[in-house]
Amino acid sequence: MKALKYLSFAGKLAGFVSALNVIPFIDPKIGVIVFAAASILKDSVNRIGDLLDDGKPNQSFKS
């Protein structure tokens, strides 16, 4: 599940950089949306994986 961690980091980094208006022709609002989506996606996958792992929300699923 290291791929999830790296993809989430890349999404958050891209969102943060574009939110700072460093990349020309990209609206900073898009950066905020990308950052939020990467965070929500990672949390959702971790929680769903945790429930599918052993049926309990006990943080036994590590990504």
Side-chain angles (χ1 to χ4, degrees), residues 21-54:
N21 205 14
V22 175
I23 303 171
F25 307 113
I26 295 182
D27 191 21
K29 294 175 190 173
I30 300 293
V32 173
I33 292 170
V34 168
F35 186 87
S39 296
I40 291 169
L41 182 64
K42 182 180 178 191
D43 290 342
S44 298
V45 169
N46 279 335
R47 292 196 178 149
I48 291 169
D50 192 32
L51 288 174
L52 293 176
D53 184 33
D54 59 1

